[in-house]
């Protein structure tokens, strides 16, 4: 028998943990290296493997798919970062086109018949994704936030089914058919809120620290000197013009001029071998706590979900090689669905549709580490814990579900333009209510312009 008091205690414990994790004391922000501005266009091949599931229920029918999908294609991606003292912007757009294949289970049931079959698909898939994040700081620590993302996917495929059909009279018929199908799926979501704290990019500080230690061994540099050099690197990279490109030799000459004039150091021409690298995504230091409302739309049921979230992030820049990243979030989700109920009248029993609500709560706790090898490669590894619970209007709480996702990742700059990115995770799900169990794998090989 479920104990509603223990379930409520679990929810309160998660909330208390998130709130107590954020330390409200002032955090140190290195103003010399807080800026990060970059536009990057990537184009290349991507291969993905993962589990997919879709279900659509009505009062008289049910459609269900559970499949393992493998797709490969050509991706074009455009990303822009602008992280300053008073605002933080990130815009990302990508488009994929390529073949895919899948196999799994297929169910199509109604009051007339019940169809179950093994399904095999192959065809062509195109997809597009857009993400925009914005934070405006009205003082050193407090900010308002807005985030919007949208996606779409269109597929044309050949479907083969092998199974059975049982009609309302109990007659069993074999299914063995192949047909051409297409489908369009799309969705978008938005959230806004307010927060306190700041995550500052450490990319230029990492590059400054690494270059000074490698090319001037034996010389001890103060934190202030490293920050000065990092500011020169930041200014140089922030001023790059994406359309005109940049000259690494001219940039190297300017760096040597600064080192000679400011620190009285001999020019290190060999530094040019490392200068084209360190082109990582923002690597952060700091704490941030955020909360606010959100909504999601998807062109399948449930089509519109709304609720609220709280999010805590803590990133620690340990040294040039190591970063520790921790985040914890709690989300309340709700959507409206019409339920069929039967009422009695003078004419007999009649179905009546009445709106009811479904609500649930999920959390995600992520603890991970990043290891940076030289200025070329990054290794990520960690684990996510994703609990979830049905609330049912807080009248009949469901059972708390426990899900875990260990993950690893690798990114390397093979040359000044060529990149490789690999990510792998395994979803360990407690049931099928909040997460689809199984592997997720992606491999990207591409060229980058910045």
């Amino acid at each position: 028998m479920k104990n509603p008091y223990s379930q409520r205690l679990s929810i309160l414990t998660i909330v208390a943990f998130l709130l107590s994790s954020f330390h409200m004391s002032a955090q140190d922000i290195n103003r010399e290296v807080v800026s990060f501005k970059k536009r990057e266009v990537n184009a290349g091949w991507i291969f993905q493997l993962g589990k997919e599931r879709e279900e659509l229920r009505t009062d008289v029918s049910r459609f269900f798919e559970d499949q393992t999908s493998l797709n490969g294609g050509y991706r074009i991606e455009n990303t822009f970062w602008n992280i300053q003292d008073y605002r933080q912007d990130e815009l990302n757009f990508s488009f994929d086109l390529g073949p895919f294949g899948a196999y799994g289970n297929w169910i199509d049931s109604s009051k007339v018949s019940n169809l179950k079959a093994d399904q095999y698909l192959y065809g062509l898939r195109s997809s597009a994704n857009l993400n925009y994040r914005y934070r405006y700081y009205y003082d050193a620590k407090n900010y308002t936030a807005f985030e919007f993302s949208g996606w779409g996917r269109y597929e044309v495929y050949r479907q083969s089914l092998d199974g059975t059909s049982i009609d309302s009279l109990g007659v069993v018929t074999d299914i063995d058919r192949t047909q051409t199908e297409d489908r369009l799926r799309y969705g978008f979501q938005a959230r806004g809120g307010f927060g306190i704290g700041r995550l500052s990019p450490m990319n230029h500080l990492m590059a400054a620290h690494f270059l000074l230690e490698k090319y001037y061994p034996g010389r001890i540099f103060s934190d202030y000197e490293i920050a000065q050099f990092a500011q020169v690197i930041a200014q140089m990279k922030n001023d790059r013009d994406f359309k005109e490109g940049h000259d690494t030799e001219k940039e190297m000459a300017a760096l040597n001029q600064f080192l000679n004039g400011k620190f009285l150091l001999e020019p290190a021409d060999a530094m040019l071998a490392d200068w084209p690298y360190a082109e990582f995504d923002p690597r952060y230091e700091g704490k941030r706590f955020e909360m606010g409302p959100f909504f999601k739309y998807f062109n399948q049921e449930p089509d519109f979900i709304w609720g609220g979230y709280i999010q805590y992030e803590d990133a620690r820049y340990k040294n040039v090689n190591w970063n520790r990243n921790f985040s914890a979030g709690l989300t309340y989700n709700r959507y409206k669905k019409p339920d069929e109920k039967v009422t009695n009248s003078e004419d007999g029993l009649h179905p009546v549709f009445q709106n009811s609500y479904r609500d649930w709560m999920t959390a995600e706790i992520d603890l991970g580490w990043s290891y940076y090898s030289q200025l070329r490669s990054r290794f990520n590894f960690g684990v996510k814990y994703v609990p979830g619970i049905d609330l049912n209007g807080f009248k009949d709480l469901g059972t708390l579900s426990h899900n875990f996702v260990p993950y690893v990742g690798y990114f390397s700059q093979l040359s000044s333009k060529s990149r490789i990115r690999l990510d792998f995770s395994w979803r360990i799900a407690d049931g099928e209510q909040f997460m689809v169990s199984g592997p997720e794998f992606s491999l990207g090989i591409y060229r980058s312009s910045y």
Side-chain angles (χ1 to χ4, degrees):
M1 181 177 180
K2 300 174 184 176
N3 188 341
Y5 297 102
S6 64
Q7 303 289 6
R8 290 190 180 99
L9 181 61
S10 299
I11 297 172
L12 293 175
T13 301
I14 294 173
V15 175
F17 171 77
L18 294 176
L19 293 175
S20 63
S21 296
F22 186 75
H23 191 264
M24 293 300 179
S25 62
Q27 73 179 56
D28 295 329
I29 301 173
N30 192 333
R31 296 293 179 182
E32 299 295 328
V33 294
V34 73
S35 62
F36 182 92
K37 185 177 181 180
K38 182 181 179 183
R39 181 186 175 187
E40 183 176 278
V41 175
N42 301 316
W45 298 95
I46 185 167
F47 306 91
Q48 297 174 311
L49 171 69
K51 294 272 290 184
E52 300 176 356
R53 177 171 297 167
E54 182 173 290
E55 185 173 14
L56 178 62
R57 288 178 177 266
T58 68
D59 296 300
V60 295
S61 65
R62 178 198 180 209
F63 176 77
F64 174 82
E65 277 187 328
D66 181 272
Q67 61 190 24
T68 300
S69 175
L70 173 65
N71 65 282
Y74 191 76
R75 169 176 292 183
I76 299 176
E77 182 180 42
N78 191 339
T79 305
F80 174 74
W81 295 278
N82 183 22
I83 304 175
Q84 305 293 332
D85 277 349
Y86 67 98
R87 65 181 294 172
Q88 296 183 352
D89 295 87
E90 180 179 342
L91 176 64
N92 174 270
F93 172 77
S94 65
F95 176 79
D96 298 7
L97 177 64
F100 82 100
Y103 67 91
N105 301 315
W106 180 87
I107 297 174
D108 188 2
S109 64
S110 65
K111 294 181 179 180
V112 177
S113 62
N114 184 18
L115 288 72
K116 294 183 179 180
D118 295 327
Q119 174 179 238
Y120 301 90
L121 308 174
Y122 64 91
L124 186 67
R125 171 182 291 177
S126 63
S127 62
N129 292 272
L130 173 68
N131 298 280
Y132 176 67
R133 297 183 179 91
Y134 173 76
R135 289 180 176 86
Y136 176 77
Y137 281 83
Y138 47 87
D139 59 32
K141 293 180 60 177
N142 298 282
Y143 66 88
T144 57
F146 172 76
E147 180 177 339
F148 174 84
S149 62
W151 63 275
R153 186 176 72 190
Y154 179 70
E155 301 169 337
V156 179
Y157 55 91
R158 194 72 170 165
Q159 179 191 53
S160 297
L161 298 176
D162 182 9
T164 58
S165 172
I166 305 175
D167 63 19
S168 58
L169 300 177
V171 178
V172 178
T173 306
D174 291 334
I175 300 175
D176 184 7
R177 68 172 184 248
T178 301
Q179 57 193 5
T180 300
E181 298 283 350
D182 71 306
R183 60 184 167 191
L184 173 66
R185 297 289 182 264
Y186 60 88
F188 57 85
Q189 62 181 25
R191 70 181 192 180
F194 62 92
I196 181 172
R198 183 188 293 267
L199 296 183
S200 301
M202 296 289 106
N203 298 55
H204 305 315
L205 183 69
M206 171 185 66
H209 203 163
F210 176 86
L211 294 174
L212 291 175
E213 284 190 347
K214 179 176 180 178
Y215 292 99
Y216 297 97
R219 168 74 184 268
I220 299 176
F221 295 92
S222 67
D223 291 342
Y224 178 69
E225 289 175 322
I226 296 173
Q228 281 185 301
F229 188 40
Q231 173 60 23
V232 174
I233 294 175
Q235 189 65 41
M236 193 171 297
K237 291 193 173 186
N238 291 349
D239 289 343
R240 286 174 173 173
D241 189 303
F242 173 82
K243 294 182 179 179
E244 296 182 1
H246 57 277
D247 190 324
T248 55
E249 292 186 358
K250 289 183 178 179
E251 291 177 342
M252 195 72 254
L255 289 179
N256 280 327
Q257 183 179 0
F258 170 82
L259 293 172
N260 179 256
K262 193 70 176 180
F263 300 152
L264 303 179
L265 297 173
E266 291 293 328
D269 295 331
M271 193 183 295
L272 183 60
D274 288 306
W275 174 246
Y277 300 99
E279 299 300 330
F280 300 104
D281 294 348
R283 175 184 177 181
Y284 289 114
E285 158 72 24
K287 297 179 182 179
R288 184 166 67 197
F289 179 82
E290 187 176 303
M291 62 190 304
F294 75 90
F295 73 86
K296 299 179 182 180
Y297 175 82
F298 175 48
N299 69 327
Q300 290 287 90
E301 184 193 20
D303 59 355
F304 191 84
I305 299 173
W306 74 95
Y309 74 97
I310 57 176
Q311 179 77 27
Y312 168 72
E313 297 170 89
D314 184 349
R316 288 301 168 201
Y317 177 87
K318 297 296 185 180
N319 50 50
V320 173
N321 298 113
W322 284 99
N323 236 65
R324 191 269 295 151
N325 304 295
F326 174 80
S327 66
L330 185 66
T331 304
Y332 171 74
N333 309 269
R334 185 169 182 168
Y335 78 98
K336 182 171 65 175
K337 179 183 178 182
D339 281 347
E340 180 181 349
K341 295 187 176 181
V342 177
T343 60
N344 194 359
S345 66
E346 296 180 356
D347 299 330
L349 297 176
H350 296 279
V352 175
F353 291 96
Q354 176 177 321
N355 286 331
S356 65
Y357 291 92
R358 302 288 186 269
D359 59 344
W360 67 96
M361 188 174 290
T362 57
E364 182 175 307
I365 300 171
D366 184 356
L367 177 60
W369 291 265
S370 297
Y371 175 76
Y372 294 80
S373 177
Q374 305 297 317
L375 292 180
R376 290 177 179 247
S377 302
R378 181 187 64 227
F379 300 85
N380 296 328
F381 58 94
V383 64
K384 296 180 183 180
Y385 169 54
V386 187
I389 186 172
D390 270 328
L391 298 178
N392 299 316
F394 292 93
K395 297 178 181 179
D396 182 20
L397 298 181
T399 302
L400 186 65
S401 175
H402 305 278
N403 309 283
F404 296 89
V405 186
Y407 62 87
V408 294
Y410 173 70
F411 168 79
S412 183
Q413 301 158 89
L414 304 177
S415 68
S416 61
K417 297 293 185 181
S418 299
R419 312 281 189 258
I420 182 171
R421 186 186 298 268
L422 185 151
D423 294 285
F424 176 78
S425 63
W426 194 283
R427 296 170 293 188
I428 305 171
D430 180 8
E432 302 177 347
Q433 188 173 10
F434 297 101
M435 182 179 292
V436 179
S437 62
E440 281 190 327
F441 172 81
S442 68
L443 170 65
I445 304 172
Y446 56 93
R447 287 183 61 82
S448 180
S449 302
Y450 52 93

